Structures are given as structure tokens and as C-alpha cells.
Amino acid sequence: MIRRSIFQSKRLRMFAVRLSLVVAVSLCSLLPVGTEQVTVSALEAGSSVATRGNWRGASFPVENFQGYTSPFGYRRSPDGSSEQEFHRGLDMAAPQGSYIRNWWSGKVVEVSDHTACGTSVVIKSGEWEHIYCHMEGHVETADGKKSMRDRPGGIQIMEGQTIPAGTRIGRIGMTGRTTGPHLHWGLKYSGQYVDPALVLRAMYAEQTKYGSVPASSQ
């Protein structure tokens, strides 16, 4: 039963990767013409580190994935104004309450619920940091230790905890600055933001090459 559950979970994640990459391929083309050099630099750096990675053990971060609502880079402010702002991540839409999975095995370095990111978790995996925003739940402190708690979802994530790739770490919510249920997923490498779409493309290419994507999902 356990082995079957793991296999089904893997199929779900790999199917989500395949579905998402069809959209992710064109995300960079959505960036406005004439954006500042910081965007170009981030894209170039992202291309470099994405192609160097070993992504066979990585997990797509969203169950019940529906589509992308906002790419990495400059965009019009979602509050309706005409001002441009730099969006430091990739927004992934899913029904509220859908589970979020840890992209890569690592250590929880921060949980928070008092910023525009809403209820959030930051995980460090070597030189990588992955940031998950707008989740259900809130932060609690007990005996000097902070944890993100989502009781209806059966989730408790503590600072300092080591979490394997693919583990459920939260649920899609609408906390913080958001206009709809989605995961804002941010990636940093050596402290610099990277376009997550570049990493997802590299992930899918490598997992397909080494037969990690089940035949029924191809």
C-alpha cells in the first residue's frame, strides 16, 4: 500500500511537470520590452544554474496545478495601477486548499505570516533557497521555536526542520497580498533571484531523459 501510494504521488508530480512545462516554455517571452538590466541578468544567471543542476530528485511544487498567472520579471502592479513592479517569482494557480510540495530536500530557515508574502516557508538546499508564499495557516511560537501550522490541512513545519523533496509542506491559500488562490514560488541561487520557469524546463528535460516521467503521463 505504501509503495503504491508513493508511485501514485510520483505520477501526479511528474504529470504536473509535463503540463506546466508546455506553458513555462513561453514565460520569458511575456516579459515587457525594455525592462531594466536586472531582469536580463537574472534570466542569464538562471539559464546557467538551471542547466548545471541535477534535477532527477526534484518535485513539482503544486498539486492540482491549473496554470501560470504571473511570470518572473517586470509586470503591471496587480492592484490595478499602471505602475510596473519586479515580480521575484512564478505564480501557480490551483484550487484553494490544494497541497504544496517541497521542491528539493533542504532545511527550513524561515516561517512567516506578517508580510505581503502571507503565510510563507523558506527552505535552503545548498546554494538554493526556495520560497513558498500565500499559504493557508499561520505562524505559532512555542518554547522559543517558530512553526507554520495549518491544522485543517494536517501541516506543521518548524524552523530548523529538514524536509525531503516531494513532502507536503502547505496548502494553496490567499494570505498576504494576493487577488486569488495561488502559490508564489521564488527561487534564489547564491542569494540571487532566478526565474523558476528556467529551472522547471531543465527539470523536465532531465527527468524525461532519464526515464523519471511515467509513460502514462507522457
Side-chain angles (χ1 to χ4, degrees):
M1 180 65 72
I2 294 176
R3 293 180 64 183
R4 181 181 179 184
S5 176
I6 293 173
F7 178 71
Q8 290 175 335
S9 177
K10 182 179 178 181
R11 288 182 59 188
L12 174 63
R13 295 199 302 274
M14 292 305 100
F15 179 77
V17 170
R18 182 177 185 275
L19 175 64
S20 67
L21 265 297
V22 173
V23 182
V25 167
S26 62
L27 282 178
C28 294
S29 66
L30 298 178
L31 296 175
V33 176
T35 58
E36 295 181 15
Q37 184 61 35
V38 64
T39 308
V40 177
S41 299
L43 292 176
E44 291 175 347
S47 296
S48 176
V49 298
T51 55
R52 291 202 310 263
N54 178 353
W55 307 121
R56 274 172 277 175
S59 172
F60 188 74
V62 177
E63 295 185 17
N64 302 319
F65 172 80
Q66 293 179 320
Y68 297 102
T69 54
S70 188
F72 178 90
Y74 280 93
R75 65 175 185 180
R76 179 174 293 181
S77 176
D79 63 11
S81 71
S82 59
E83 296 182 1
Q84 295 285 311
E85 64 179 20
F86 192 81
H87 186 231
R88 295 178 174 85
L90 179 62
D91 287 353
M92 304 179 177
Q96 189 163 358
S98 298
Y99 281 97
I100 297 165
R101 292 181 179 269
N102 184 30
W103 167 66
W104 195 261
S105 179
K107 182 178 180 179
V108 178
V109 294
E110 182 183 4
V111 295
S112 176
D113 64 359
H114 62 276
T115 69
C117 194
T119 299
S120 60
V121 172
V122 180
I123 297 175
K124 187 169 178 60
S125 306
E127 293 296 316
W128 289 95
E129 283 186 12
H130 24 130
I131 305 154
Y132 306 81
C133 298
H134 310 308
M135 298 193 295
E136 297 278 12
H138 62 280
V139 172
E140 298 180 357
T141 302
D143 299 324
K145 297 182 178 180
K146 293 172 63 178
S147 65
M148 190 282 285
R149 295 293 300 268
D150 173 11
R151 287 183 172 83
I155 300 290
Q156 181 178 16
I157 303 297
M158 300 188 67
E159 287 187 346
Q161 178 180 356
T162 298
I163 301 180
T167 301
R168 286 175 168 176
I169 58 171
R171 293 188 302 152
I172 298 290
M174 289 186 61
T175 56
R177 181 173 176 248
T178 177
T179 57
H182 73 279
L183 170 68
H184 170 95
W185 189 44
L187 285 179
K188 286 183 179 181
Y189 184 81
S190 295
Q192 300 297 315
Y193 279 100
V194 172
D195 183 354
L198 301 176
V199 174
L200 288 179
R201 288 209 303 273
M203 271 175 56
Y204 181 67
E206 182 167 356
Q207 291 178 1
T208 301
K209 177 180 177 181
Y210 288 97
S212 300
V213 181
S216 59
S217 297
Q218 296 179 17

